[in-house]
Amino acid sequence: MITHDAVRVLVANWDGTYTVPSRRLYPHQWSWDSAFIAIGNARWSPRRARTELLTLFGAQWQDGRVPHIVFNPAVPEGAYFPGPRFWGVRAPSGVATSGIVQPPVHALAAWKIHQAEPDVAFLRRIYPRLVAQQRFLRGERRSPEGLISIVHPWESGMDNSPAWDLPLQAVEATGSAGGIGAVRRDLGHVSAAERPTDRDYERYVALAAAYRDSGYRDPGSFQVEDPLFNAAYGVAESVLAEIARVCGHDPEPHEREAVRVTAAMVEHLYDDGLFHARDVRTGCLIRSSSAAGLTPLLLPGLPREIVNTLVGTALDRFGLKDGVLPSYSPAAPGFEPGRYWRGPKWINLSWLVWQGLRERRPDLAAPLADGMIAAVGASGFREYFDPITLDGHGSRDFSWSAALIVDVVA
Ligand code: 9YW
């Protein structure tokens, strides 16, 4: 029954060659949303899942970057801010896109699609594109420590995480005419108390504008190494090794890169039972209690003792044994159960940690899956949930909440 309802959401949000995250709030194609959506669609329509990813990679730039939004030309400019006119850029295919990226969870999605329905021709088609995506990150974003940086909070996928409060202080917010509230489209759909503040938003826009004005090259005043982003990058290399094997390519460079980035993460981002982001500009670790710090559980080569300590942290500080995974530890100051990435439970974060625990700790993975099902059972396929009451927040009929439930119950 739950699968049936989830598929109904996915069908309603399908736009012919990809799926919108939600009809009203997000009317275009988003990068990591499409990866999660494809993982769910693979369970009932592998063909649709393949199309979803190929559409996204159809908007890949010459330099290999996969933009975080691919704009639907049929949607009016005013429907979403910042829209195509703000970003001012087109992919070689001619379609308007943004110029920043999101966590590279796409190789994992491609591999899961292949596992659901083996299709070597699809893997052969997507493999060079996935390789180019990783090459862009290495070429443009790798620090001397060997980790990948993000240059905007939006690139983390966890826009207003408390982890970004400190590095954002270095960002000059340029006031926009009439106030930023006037151009924000999200506030027309959901309550301001559940979204980033206007002050955060002004900084997001200022940062994006500066990056755009540098021709999408210069990191600007925000540059951090995020554990989730780097975990996604590392998993992508592990999975690319598998894909390479199937396609008759050499898996070894991918295996080596996965080992290398895992070691760099342990050396530079791990402290006191959790992975943290690191501010590249100051060289300092940003000690926060974000659940992003648990996602390195995805890395197959993570040393056993670190896995054990991370699990301990998940149990003690995030309440994992009850199947709950808040985006920010309820034990930490700054936890807000209803505000976006500052505490609510998100299905994609739960799914990433579930994925990391399935083989290592099935006893903990099972209640986590039950917790995801309980949240949508209580409140529907909402964008995010109060981790204590399970009240739903943000948009309704949210695609990745539906898709990942399809995967979890399969
Ligand atoms: C925005 C679409 C996106 C997600 C992000 C999430 C939010 C706001 O919505 O971003 O306007 O892009 O933070 O992770 O991809 O669902």
Side-chain angles (χ1 to χ4, degrees):
M1 189 55 193
I2 199 166
T3 304
H4 185 260
D5 291 346
V7 169
R8 226 183 12 219
V9 168
L10 292 166
V11 168
N13 289 348
W14 175 248
D15 257 355
T17 54
Y18 68 92
T19 313
V20 294
S22 94
R23 276 272 155 228
R24 276 151 52 94
L25 206 50
Y26 308 117
H28 304 282
Q29 181 173 31
W30 261 258
S31 168
W32 80 327
D33 295 65
S34 273
F36 292 126
I37 291 162
I39 287 167
N41 280 347
R43 299 293 190 168
W44 65 280
S45 175
R47 183 154 168 260
R48 185 172 284 210
R50 290 190 288 269
T51 303
E52 178 96 35
L53 278 195
L54 289 170
T55 302
L56 178 70
F57 279 85
Q60 188 169 29
W61 289 19
Q62 201 68 53
D63 64 8
R65 99 180 66 193
V66 176
H68 100 298
I69 304 177
V70 181
F71 292 105
N72 176 352
V75 170
E77 174 80 27
Y80 176 82
F81 178 82
R85 206 170 300 146
F86 174 91
W87 296 100
V89 68
R90 288 183 185 278
S93 68
V95 70
T97 70
S98 72
I100 58 172
V101 298
Q102 277 187 324
V105 283
H106 312 82
L108 181 60
W111 184 237
K112 291 208 167 275
I113 297 170
H114 179 72
Q115 285 175 320
E117 183 179 87
D119 184 340
V120 178
F122 165 69
L123 284 188
R124 288 223 166 95
R125 215 167 141 197
I126 198 101
Y127 173 78
R129 291 164 184 257
L130 294 166
V131 169
Q133 177 185 29
Q134 297 284 99
R135 199 184 302 125
F136 162 77
L137 295 172
R138 271 196 299 281
E140 291 277 320
R141 299 292 188 83
R142 189 153 70 180
S143 66
E145 285 74 24
L147 293 163
I148 308 295
S149 306
I150 55 171
V151 300
H152 197 292
W154 285 336
E155 292 200 316
S156 70
M158 296 175 63
D159 311 3
N160 68 338
S161 161
W164 312 142
D165 291 355
L166 192 62
L168 271 179
Q169 282 176 14
V171 176
E172 204 70 55
T174 49
S176 92
I180 199 76
V183 288
R184 289 182 67 175
R185 291 288 167 263
D186 56 336
L187 299 183
H189 300 293
V190 288
S191 144
E194 301 171 9
R195 307 293 292 185
T197 61
D198 277 357
R199 198 168 162 67
D200 282 340
Y201 224 85
E202 280 173 2
R203 290 190 161 121
Y204 300 156
V205 172
L207 265 179
Y211 190 47
R212 173 198 64 202
D213 296 344
S214 79
Y216 296 108
R217 303 272 330 196
D218 298 343
S221 49
F222 180 96
Q223 200 182 354
V224 302
E225 293 156 349
D226 169 47
L228 195 165
F229 199 101
N230 279 276
Y233 171 85
V235 174
E237 288 298 330
S238 296
V239 164
L240 281 170
E242 303 289 341
I243 298 178
R245 231 171 251 123
V246 174
C247 296
H249 301 300
D250 182 7
E252 213 266 335
H254 297 301
E255 282 161 356
R256 222 179 322 122
E257 180 65 1
V259 168
R260 201 201 50 71
V261 75
T262 302
M265 288 180 71
V266 169
E267 187 180 345
H268 298 289
L269 302 185
Y270 182 72
D271 187 41
D272 197 20
L274 194 62
F275 284 84
H276 301 277
R278 185 176 157 276
D279 190 332
V280 177
R281 294 164 56 86
T282 62
C284 294
L285 214 51
I286 308 163
R287 282 187 186 74
S288 86
S289 296
S290 165
L294 298 172
T295 60
L297 282 167
L298 283 166
L299 294 163
L302 198 63
R304 162 71 35 208
E305 65 277 11
I306 297 206
V307 169
N308 292 342
T309 348
L310 275 185
V311 166
T313 302
L315 292 168
D316 299 344
R317 284 157 56 186
F318 288 84
L320 185 68
K321 69 182 172 314
D322 301 322
V324 177
L325 187 75
S327 46
Y328 200 72
S329 166
F335 167 74
E336 291 184 70
R339 196 187 285 274
Y340 220 36
W341 294 100
R342 303 179 80 89
K345 171 190 174 86
W346 287 75
I347 298 294
N348 67 329
L349 265 187
S350 292
W351 185 90
L352 289 168
V353 172
W354 174 73
Q355 191 64 27
L357 289 173
R358 274 172 85 188
E359 286 183 8
R360 292 173 168 134
R361 291 297 302 267
D363 58 316
L364 295 175
L368 191 50
D370 290 346
M372 289 183 243
I373 296 164
V376 304
S379 298
F381 299 102
R382 297 296 297 264
E383 192 177 358
Y384 42 104
F385 304 85
D386 182 309
I388 299 148
T389 63
L390 298 187
D391 284 347
H393 292 290
S395 62
R396 292 168 195 279
D397 293 341
F398 189 65
S399 294
W400 83 39
S401 298
L404 296 174
I405 288 293
V406 175
D407 183 61
V408 157
V409 301

mmCIF file of all heavy atoms in Angstrom, residues 277-310:
data_model
loop_
_atom_site.group_PDB
_atom_site.id
_atom_site.type_symbol
_atom_site.label_atom_id
_atom_site.label_comp_id
_atom_site.label_asym_id
_atom_site.label_seq_id
_atom_site.Cartn_x
_atom_site.Cartn_y
_atom_site.Cartn_z
ATOM 1 N N ALA A 277 32.816 19.106 9.069
ATOM 2 C CA ALA A 277 33.293 19.866 7.915
ATOM 3 C C ALA A 277 34.560 20.618 8.324
ATOM 4 O O ALA A 277 34.813 20.842 9.512
ATOM 5 C CB ALA A 277 32.226 20.841 7.467
ATOM 6 N N ARG A 278 35.348 20.993 7.324
ATOM 7 C CA ARG A 278 36.572 21.760 7.586
ATOM 8 C C ARG A 278 36.536 23.012 6.729
ATOM 9 O O ARG A 278 36.203 22.942 5.540
ATOM 10 C CB ARG A 278 37.765 20.878 7.220
ATOM 11 C CG ARG A 278 39.108 21.465 7.533
ATOM 12 C CD ARG A 278 40.196 20.437 7.213
ATOM 13 N NE ARG A 278 41.438 21.115 6.980
ATOM 14 C CZ ARG A 278 41.815 21.651 5.819
ATOM 15 N NH1 ARG A 278 41.054 21.535 4.752
ATOM 16 N NH2 ARG A 278 42.958 22.281 5.715
ATOM 17 N N ASP A 279 36.832 24.148 7.359
ATOM 18 C CA ASP A 279 36.852 25.419 6.637
ATOM 19 C C ASP A 279 38.199 25.548 5.938
ATOM 20 O O ASP A 279 39.239 25.658 6.600
ATOM 21 C CB ASP A 279 36.637 26.574 7.639
ATOM 22 C CG ASP A 279 36.395 27.899 6.934
ATOM 23 O OD1 ASP A 279 36.890 28.065 5.795
ATOM 24 O OD2 ASP A 279 35.709 28.753 7.515
ATOM 25 N N VAL A 280 38.183 25.521 4.619
ATOM 26 C CA VAL A 280 39.442 25.534 3.869
ATOM 27 C C VAL A 280 40.158 26.874 4.054
ATOM 28 O O VAL A 280 41.384 26.934 4.080
ATOM 29 C CB VAL A 280 39.169 25.260 2.372
ATOM 30 C CG1 VAL A 280 40.434 25.348 1.540
ATOM 31 C CG2 VAL A 280 38.515 23.886 2.210
ATOM 32 N N ARG A 281 39.384 27.931 4.246
ATOM 33 C CA ARG A 281 40.006 29.261 4.351
ATOM 34 C C ARG A 281 40.770 29.453 5.656
ATOM 35 O O ARG A 281 41.760 30.155 5.698
ATOM 36 C CB ARG A 281 38.939 30.341 4.190
ATOM 37 C CG ARG A 281 38.348 30.342 2.772
ATOM 38 C CD ARG A 281 37.068 31.120 2.722
ATOM 39 N NE ARG A 281 37.260 32.479 3.196
ATOM 40 C CZ ARG A 281 37.667 33.483 2.437
ATOM 41 N NH1 ARG A 281 37.908 33.280 1.162
ATOM 42 N NH2 ARG A 281 37.832 34.676 2.941
ATOM 43 N N THR A 282 40.289 28.816 6.739
ATOM 44 C CA THR A 282 40.990 28.965 8.027
ATOM 45 C C THR A 282 41.774 27.706 8.380
ATOM 46 O O THR A 282 42.598 27.723 9.284
ATOM 47 C CB THR A 282 39.974 29.207 9.162
ATOM 48 O OG1 THR A 282 39.122 28.040 9.244
ATOM 49 C CG2 THR A 282 39.120 30.425 8.907
ATOM 50 N N GLY A 283 41.471 26.602 7.710
ATOM 51 C CA GLY A 283 42.122 25.328 8.041
ATOM 52 C C GLY A 283 41.514 24.681 9.279
ATOM 53 O O GLY A 283 41.976 23.624 9.716
ATOM 54 N N CYS A 284 40.460 25.293 9.843
ATOM 55 C CA CYS A 284 39.900 24.764 11.101
ATOM 56 C C CYS A 284 38.722 23.822 10.853
ATOM 57 O O CYS A 284 37.929 24.024 9.925
ATOM 58 C CB CYS A 284 39.392 25.906 11.972
ATOM 59 S SG CYS A 284 40.714 26.954 12.552
ATOM 60 N N LEU A 285 38.627 22.833 11.727
ATOM 61 C CA LEU A 285 37.481 21.938 11.706
ATOM 62 C C LEU A 285 36.273 22.700 12.261
ATOM 63 O O LEU A 285 36.404 23.446 13.236
ATOM 64 C CB LEU A 285 37.807 20.753 12.622
ATOM 65 C CG LEU A 285 37.274 19.380 12.262
ATOM 66 C CD1 LEU A 285 37.598 19.004 10.833
ATOM 67 C CD2 LEU A 285 37.853 18.340 13.219
ATOM 68 N N ILE A 286 35.113 22.518 11.625
ATOM 69 C CA ILE A 286 33.902 23.176 12.126
ATOM 70 C C ILE A 286 33.161 22.127 12.945
ATOM 71 O O ILE A 286 32.408 21.319 12.400
ATOM 72 C CB ILE A 286 33.012 23.660 10.965
ATOM 73 C CG1 ILE A 286 33.823 24.499 9.967
ATOM 74 C CG2 ILE A 286 31.808 24.427 11.482
ATOM 75 C CD1 ILE A 286 33.151 24.683 8.614
ATOM 76 N N ARG A 287 33.412 22.115 14.249
ATOM 77 C CA ARG A 287 32.798 21.066 15.090
ATOM 78 C C ARG A 287 31.313 21.353 15.244
ATOM 79 O O ARG A 287 30.931 22.316 15.890
ATOM 80 C CB ARG A 287 33.479 21.010 16.454
ATOM 81 C CG ARG A 287 34.800 20.297 16.377
ATOM 82 C CD ARG A 287 35.439 20.056 17.727
ATOM 83 N NE ARG A 287 36.757 19.489 17.514
ATOM 84 C CZ ARG A 287 37.805 20.195 17.078
ATOM 85 N NH1 ARG A 287 37.673 21.462 16.835
ATOM 86 N NH2 ARG A 287 38.970 19.596 16.878
ATOM 87 N N SER A 288 30.498 20.509 14.605
ATOM 88 C CA SER A 288 29.054 20.684 14.752
ATOM 89 C C SER A 288 28.471 19.309 15.004
ATOM 90 O O SER A 288 29.201 18.322 15.063
ATOM 91 C CB SER A 288 28.451 21.317 13.501
ATOM 92 O OG SER A 288 28.154 20.329 12.552
ATOM 93 N N SER A 289 27.172 19.235 15.174
ATOM 94 C CA SER A 289 26.541 17.944 15.446
ATOM 95 C C SER A 289 25.595 17.586 14.318
ATOM 96 O O SER A 289 24.479 17.131 14.538
ATOM 97 C CB SER A 289 25.794 18.014 16.769
ATOM 98 O OG SER A 289 26.702 18.232 17.810
ATOM 99 N N SER A 290 26.061 17.820 13.071
ATOM 100 C CA SER A 290 25.229 17.532 11.911
ATOM 101 C C SER A 290 25.292 16.046 11.571
ATOM 102 O O SER A 290 26.356 15.420 11.624
ATOM 103 C CB SER A 290 25.751 18.347 10.721
ATOM 104 O OG SER A 290 25.203 17.846 9.524
ATOM 105 N N ALA A 291 24.136 15.501 11.193
ATOM 106 C CA ALA A 291 24.081 14.086 10.803
ATOM 107 C C ALA A 291 24.873 13.815 9.531
ATOM 108 O O ALA A 291 25.151 12.656 9.208
ATOM 109 C CB ALA A 291 22.629 13.648 10.627
ATOM 110 N N ALA A 292 25.285 14.883 8.824
ATOM 111 C CA ALA A 292 26.183 14.686 7.674
ATOM 112 C C ALA A 292 27.426 13.932 8.126
ATOM 113 O O ALA A 292 28.008 13.147 7.372
ATOM 114 C CB ALA A 292 26.582 16.035 7.083
ATOM 115 N N GLY A 293 27.810 14.138 9.393
ATOM 116 C CA GLY A 293 29.015 13.511 9.938
ATOM 117 C C GLY A 293 28.898 12.008 10.128
ATOM 118 O O GLY A 293 29.901 11.345 10.425
ATOM 119 N N LEU A 294 27.680 11.467 9.980
ATOM 120 C CA LEU A 294 27.508 10.008 10.079
ATOM 121 C C LEU A 294 27.542 9.344 8.707
ATOM 122 O O LEU A 294 27.683 8.126 8.608
ATOM 123 C CB LEU A 294 26.158 9.679 10.748
ATOM 124 C CG LEU A 294 25.953 10.177 12.183
ATOM 125 C CD1 LEU A 294 24.508 9.940 12.614
ATOM 126 C CD2 LEU A 294 26.913 9.463 13.146
ATOM 127 N N THR A 295 27.390 10.139 7.647
ATOM 128 C CA THR A 295 27.256 9.533 6.308
ATOM 129 C C THR A 295 28.528 8.862 5.787
ATOM 130 O O THR A 295 28.418 8.032 4.877
ATOM 131 C CB THR A 295 26.730 10.551 5.268
ATOM 132 O OG1 THR A 295 27.653 11.647 5.194
ATOM 133 C CG2 THR A 295 25.351 11.066 5.638
ATOM 134 N N PRO A 296 29.730 9.141 6.347
ATOM 135 C CA PRO A 296 30.884 8.350 5.892
ATOM 136 C C PRO A 296 30.730 6.855 6.177
ATOM 137 O O PRO A 296 31.525 6.041 5.685
ATOM 138 C CB PRO A 296 32.055 8.981 6.663
ATOM 139 C CG PRO A 296 31.635 10.413 6.842
ATOM 140 C CD PRO A 296 30.157 10.320 7.124
ATOM 141 N N LEU A 297 29.692 6.470 6.932
ATOM 142 C CA LEU A 297 29.386 5.042 7.088
ATOM 143 C C LEU A 297 29.160 4.383 5.727
ATOM 144 O O LEU A 297 29.250 3.165 5.590
ATOM 145 C CB LEU A 297 28.123 4.861 7.948
ATOM 146 C CG LEU A 297 28.303 5.030 9.464
ATOM 147 C CD1 LEU A 297 26.952 5.136 10.154
ATOM 148 C CD2 LEU A 297 29.110 3.860 10.039
ATOM 149 N N LEU A 298 28.875 5.200 4.729
ATOM 150 C CA LEU A 298 28.690 4.678 3.370
ATOM 151 C C LEU A 298 29.977 4.102 2.783
ATOM 152 O O LEU A 298 29.925 3.284 1.858
ATOM 153 C CB LEU A 298 28.262 5.810 2.435
ATOM 154 C CG LEU A 298 26.831 6.308 2.479
ATOM 155 C CD1 LEU A 298 26.730 7.636 1.749
ATOM 156 C CD2 LEU A 298 25.915 5.273 1.830
ATOM 157 N N LEU A 299 31.122 4.580 3.294
ATOM 158 C CA LEU A 299 32.392 4.212 2.655
ATOM 159 C C LEU A 299 32.761 2.765 2.986
ATOM 160 O O LEU A 299 32.949 2.426 4.161
ATOM 161 C CB LEU A 299 33.506 5.147 3.151
ATOM 162 C CG LEU A 299 33.350 6.607 2.739
ATOM 163 C CD1 LEU A 299 34.237 7.515 3.594
ATOM 164 C CD2 LEU A 299 33.680 6.782 1.254
ATOM 165 N N PRO A 300 32.907 1.917 1.976
ATOM 166 C CA PRO A 300 33.186 0.498 2.254
ATOM 167 C C PRO A 300 34.494 0.291 3.002
ATOM 168 O O PRO A 300 34.612 -0.643 3.781
ATOM 169 C CB PRO A 300 33.252 -0.152 0.867
ATOM 170 C CG PRO A 300 32.826 0.872 -0.112
ATOM 171 C CD PRO A 300 32.796 2.210 0.556
ATOM 172 N N GLY A 301 35.468 1.195 2.792
ATOM 173 C CA GLY A 301 36.783 0.971 3.402
ATOM 174 C C GLY A 301 36.983 1.698 4.725
ATOM 175 O O GLY A 301 38.117 1.831 5.191
ATOM 176 N N LEU A 302 35.891 2.177 5.335
ATOM 177 C CA LEU A 302 36.062 2.897 6.601
ATOM 178 C C LEU A 302 36.565 1.923 7.671
ATOM 179 O O LEU A 302 35.999 0.840 7.840
ATOM 180 C CB LEU A 302 34.707 3.488 7.021
ATOM 181 C CG LEU A 302 34.756 4.609 8.045
ATOM 182 C CD1 LEU A 302 35.495 5.837 7.494
ATOM 183 C CD2 LEU A 302 33.344 5.017 8.465
ATOM 184 N N PRO A 303 37.656 2.286 8.390
ATOM 185 C CA PRO A 303 38.195 1.352 9.387
ATOM 186 C C PRO A 303 37.144 0.942 10.431
ATOM 187 O O PRO A 303 36.332 1.767 10.857
ATOM 188 C CB PRO A 303 39.335 2.145 10.043
ATOM 189 C CG PRO A 303 39.684 3.211 9.059
ATOM 190 C CD PRO A 303 38.429 3.520 8.301
ATOM 191 N N ARG A 304 37.210 -0.307 10.812
ATOM 192 C CA ARG A 304 36.222 -0.903 11.714
ATOM 193 C C ARG A 304 36.045 -0.098 13.016
ATOM 194 O O ARG A 304 34.944 0.146 13.474
ATOM 195 C CB ARG A 304 36.658 -2.359 11.944
ATOM 196 C CG ARG A 304 36.141 -3.144 13.065
ATOM 197 C CD ARG A 304 34.714 -3.635 13.109
ATOM 198 N NE ARG A 304 34.037 -4.028 11.880
ATOM 199 C CZ ARG A 304 32.699 -3.943 11.728
ATOM 200 N NH1 ARG A 304 31.937 -3.444 12.656
ATOM 201 N NH2 ARG A 304 32.129 -4.345 10.620
ATOM 202 N N GLU A 305 37.190 0.379 13.586
ATOM 203 C CA GLU A 305 37.046 1.082 14.881
ATOM 204 C C GLU A 305 36.314 2.416 14.701
ATOM 205 O O GLU A 305 35.580 2.854 15.594
ATOM 206 C CB GLU A 305 38.393 1.239 15.610
ATOM 207 C CG GLU A 305 39.436 2.124 14.944
ATOM 208 C CD GLU A 305 40.247 1.414 13.851
ATOM 209 O OE1 GLU A 305 39.893 0.293 13.438
ATOM 210 O OE2 GLU A 305 41.237 2.009 13.383
ATOM 211 N N ILE A 306 36.455 3.002 13.521
ATOM 212 C CA ILE A 306 35.730 4.271 13.290
ATOM 213 C C ILE A 306 34.245 3.992 13.076
ATOM 214 O O ILE A 306 33.382 4.721 13.566
ATOM 215 C CB ILE A 306 36.359 5.034 12.112
ATOM 216 C CG1 ILE A 306 37.788 5.376 12.524
ATOM 217 C CG2 ILE A 306 35.541 6.268 11.748
ATOM 218 C CD1 ILE A 306 38.404 6.544 11.906
ATOM 219 N N VAL A 307 33.970 2.895 12.378
ATOM 220 C CA VAL A 307 32.560 2.501 12.213
ATOM 221 C C VAL A 307 31.927 2.352 13.597
ATOM 222 O O VAL A 307 30.843 2.881 13.876
ATOM 223 C CB VAL A 307 32.440 1.169 11.430
ATOM 224 C CG1 VAL A 307 31.013 0.629 11.488
ATOM 225 C CG2 VAL A 307 32.900 1.343 9.986
ATOM 226 N N ASN A 308 32.636 1.656 14.493
ATOM 227 C CA ASN A 308 32.067 1.403 15.821
ATOM 228 C C ASN A 308 31.833 2.696 16.602
ATOM 229 O O ASN A 308 30.797 2.863 17.247
ATOM 230 C CB ASN A 308 32.986 0.475 16.628
ATOM 231 C CG ASN A 308 32.988 -0.928 16.021
ATOM 232 O OD1 ASN A 308 32.090 -1.286 15.255
ATOM 233 N ND2 ASN A 308 34.004 -1.721 16.334
ATOM 234 N N THR A 309 32.776 3.621 16.512
ATOM 235 C CA THR A 309 32.576 4.877 17.260
ATOM 236 C C THR A 309 31.442 5.697 16.639
ATOM 237 O O THR A 309 30.656 6.317 17.362
ATOM 238 C CB THR A 309 33.853 5.769 17.268
ATOM 239 O OG1 THR A 309 34.948 5.036 16.798
ATOM 240 C CG2 THR A 309 34.123 6.324 18.629
ATOM 241 N N LEU A 310 31.370 5.700 15.299
ATOM 242 C CA LEU A 310 30.281 6.451 14.652
ATOM 243 C C LEU A 310 28.925 5.889 15.076
ATOM 244 O O LEU A 310 27.979 6.645 15.334
ATOM 245 C CB LEU A 310 30.389 6.351 13.129
ATOM 246 C CG LEU A 310 31.294 7.321 12.383
ATOM 247 C CD1 LEU A 310 31.151 7.105 10.888
ATOM 248 C CD2 LEU A 310 30.933 8.778 12.722
#
